[in-house]
Every structure is written in C-alpha cells, then in structure tokens.
Amino acid sequence: MNGEHIEPAFMEEALKLAREAAAEGEVPVGAVVVYEDRIIGRGRNFTDGSGDPTAHAEFLAMKDALGKVPGVFRLTGCDLYVTLEPCAMCAGAIVHMRVGRVIIGAPDPKTGACGSVMNVAEHPALNHHPQIVRDVLPEECGGVLRSFFRRMRERGRRR
Amino acid sequence: MNGEHIEPAFMEEALKLAREAAAEGEVPVGAVVVYEDRIIGRGRNFTDGSGDPTAHAEFLAMKDALGKVPGVFRLTGCDLYVTLEPCAMCAGAIVHMRVGRVIIGAPDPKTGACGSVMNVAEHPALNHHPQIVRDVLPEECGGVLRSFFRRMRERGRRR
C-alpha cells in the first residue's frame, strides 16, 4: 500500500493517457498503477483501435503492471488511479488483482460499479475489498469526456 | 442467436476443456462460444499458468471468438457455454461483448454474478442483457470442480 497519501500527479498522468486516447478517437479514459510511489502500469481506452470491447484503460493498466510487484503474484499493495469510475468488468478484475486502493476521477452514473449503479468493488460477498477514493480531479477527468462527446456530436451534425 | 435450442454437446465440449485445465493443476472451468451451431472460441481457466488472475475460461473463450462473427465488431448473436456461473468481471465482459445467451453449468454460490450473489448480466442499468440459461449438466460441471478440490485437500493432508 502507498499509505494514506493521494498523489494528484498520478491522476494527471492518467489524464494525459486519456487525452492520448481522445487524440486517436477513443473514448478518453486513462489509468496508472502505482507501487511504492512509482508507476508500474499504464493504460488508456483502446476498444475501437483493438476491436476488443474489453480493452478498457484500467484493465490494460493492471495487465501492464502484472509481474512487476516484487514477491507477489497479483497487485497487492498497489494503487490504481483511473479517470472514470470502473465498470463491473473492471471492478471485478480489480478484486481479482487484489489492488489495494482505487482512486477515481469522475463518477460514471451510467455503468459505474464502484458505487454509482452497482458496487462490485465493495460487495460483501467478495473476499477482497479495495479501498475506494472518489472525486480526485473530477472536473478535469469528467471534462475530457464531455469535450470528446461534444466534438463527436458536432462532427455528427456536420455530416 | 442460435434460436431457442440448447445443445448439451457444447457443454460437453466446455467440460472437456475444464478437465484439461484440471490436468494442468488449474481450477477446472471451461467455456466455448458458439455461432450458428459452430464453436468459434474456446477457453479454459489459466490463471496459475499465465500468472494472470483475469485468465478465466469464459473471458479467454470470448477473446478467442472476437473477430470471427461476420460483419459485427462484438459477439452479437453468439451463445456462451460455460461450466461455472461467471463472476462479476466475466459477466461485465459478456455485456460488453453483446453475447446473446449465456448457458451455465453449475451455479457459483460464492462469487456468481449471474444471479447467485450479484446479477451483473441482467442489471437493469446496463444497455444489453444476455439471456441467461441455468443448470445445463450442473452435476457434471460441479462434479469436476468438487473432485479437483477434494484431490487438492488430500494432497495437502499428505504433505
């Protein structure tokens, strides 16, 4: 675990990845995995480019981080910073990966599974419960999504 | 979609994959994806061997099937046969993949997310709802898991 400290610089790094996704026409979500104050995994939404609807930012960041925590099989003791609240698939993966803390930028009122429409991450039946920290740079994280969808709508209207 | 027909032979194929997993010391779960009466994706639990806790049978089967349904990006119109009720991660992936039907062998009273401890697959907030068919060869599907864990316990006692 990385103590109680929340480092906005890591969310800024996740935001940078989200903006890279937007530049490639992907829904802008970014994520980093942090272990002992160091980024060990990065991911940005890549569903369109890969043709894989499961290629979510936090899922890819966790896969990227696997094997990089000394002496453990999973992501025990890691923080996951993600610009948008994880969906059920990603929240389930977070539990399997044994992530210590999930630090979330913007809430997802449509499919968020860390409290918004479901709560997979903190479900009492599951055998691991990451700590959930909400609303870290929520305006910036939600803002990149809002501008992306606004641009998409404008582009649609011009067609 | 493959109509209303449930084909036990496809669950037998998933069971075969589960037994292959057991033979390699993996928790025995198997899955196949079927499109127009043909298997287009196969997977068996591979979490230990791959060092990836997300390498669940049905997740791997869906990834294997991606790109094999003519004219669609996802798994629209496909059936997923899986020997054990999917967890939250896999149920979320099933929704993202737009699987038409999920045919389940044994229920998972500990982490099942298609009705047992959660219901991600049929959650009203989500924009796709696969049809869920339960209890297809449940004794056989649950049996391979029970024998696997019994053997593990006996091995543990002999140490």
Side-chain angles (χ1 to χ4, degrees):
Chain A
M1 193 81 60
N2 297 283
E4 291 301 300
H5 183 61
I6 301 290
E7 181 48 64
F10 290 132
M11 191 60 89
E12 293 283 3
E13 200 60 32
L15 264 167
K16 198 186 290 180
L17 290 159
R19 288 189 193 103
E20 285 178 22
E24 297 189 358
E26 300 276 356
V27 173
V29 183
V32 297
V33 174
V34 175
Y35 180 71
E36 292 189 345
D37 285 320
R38 208 167 50 84
I39 293 177
I40 60 164
R42 289 165 203 269
R44 53 188 168 92
N45 181 33
F46 191 47
T47 50
D48 276 7
S50 64
D52 178 355
T54 71
H56 287 193
E58 61 274 55
F59 206 98
L60 299 178
M62 289 190 286
K63 297 268 271 189
D64 187 33
L66 264 186
K68 295 182 187 165
V69 181
V72 298
F73 170 54
R74 308 189 190 226
L75 299 180
T76 316
C78 289
D79 285 349
L80 170 70
Y81 286 76
V82 55
T83 60
L84 183 67
E85 180 183 354
C87 70
M89 176 188 74
C90 291
I94 285 164
V95 173
H96 291 314
M97 292 278 195
R98 305 287 185 270
V99 168
R101 290 196 308 182
V102 184
I103 296 103
I104 300 170
D108 181 351
K110 282 189 178 168
T111 65
C114 297
S116 286
V117 302
M118 274 179 261
N119 202 332
V120 170
E122 297 173 308
H123 196 287
L126 302 185
N127 62 357
H128 172 75
H129 298 112
Q131 188 189 335
I132 306 290
V133 180
R134 295 176 181 85
D135 295 323
V136 173
L137 307 185
E139 282 311 312
E140 293 84 338
C141 292
V144 292
L145 281 159
R146 281 189 298 273
S147 341
F148 177 80
F149 287 117
R150 193 169 50 237
R151 278 199 308 277
M152 289 290 118
R153 280 194 303 273
E154 287 166 3
R155 204 171 290 179
R157 274 199 294 271
R158 280 203 303 270
R159 267 183 197 149
Chain B
M1 192 82 60
N2 297 282
E4 291 300 301
H5 183 60
I6 301 290
E7 181 48 66
F10 291 130
M11 191 61 89
E12 293 283 2
E13 200 60 33
L15 264 167
K16 198 187 288 181
L17 290 159
R19 288 189 193 103
E20 284 178 22
E24 296 188 359
E26 302 275 356
V27 173
V29 183
V32 298
V33 174
V34 174
Y35 180 71
E36 293 188 344
D37 285 321
R38 207 168 50 83
I39 293 178
I40 60 165
R42 290 164 202 271
R44 52 189 168 92
N45 181 35
F46 192 46
T47 50
D48 275 8
S50 64
D52 178 355
T54 71
H56 287 193
E58 61 274 55
F59 206 99
L60 298 178
M62 289 189 285
K63 298 267 271 189
D64 187 34
L66 264 185
K68 295 182 187 164
V69 181
V72 299
F73 170 54
R74 308 190 190 226
L75 298 179
T76 315
C78 289
D79 286 349
L80 170 70
Y81 287 76
V82 55
T83 60
L84 182 67
E85 181 183 354
C87 71
M89 175 187 75
C90 292
I94 285 164
V95 174
H96 292 313
M97 293 277 195
R98 305 287 186 269
V99 168
R101 291 196 306 181
V102 183
I103 295 103
I104 300 170
D108 181 351
K110 283 189 178 167
T111 66
C114 296
S116 286
V117 302
M118 275 179 260
N119 202 332
V120 170
E122 297 173 308
H123 196 286
L126 303 185
N127 62 356
H128 172 75
H129 298 112
Q131 188 189 335
I132 306 290
V133 181
R134 296 176 180 85
D135 295 324
V136 173
L137 308 186
E139 282 310 312
E140 293 84 339
C141 292
V144 291
L145 281 159
R146 282 189 296 274
S147 341
F148 177 79
F149 288 117
R150 192 170 51 235
R151 277 198 309 278
M152 289 290 119
R153 280 194 301 275
E154 286 167 2
R155 206 172 288 178
R157 274 201 293 274
R158 279 204 303 271
R159 266 181 197 150

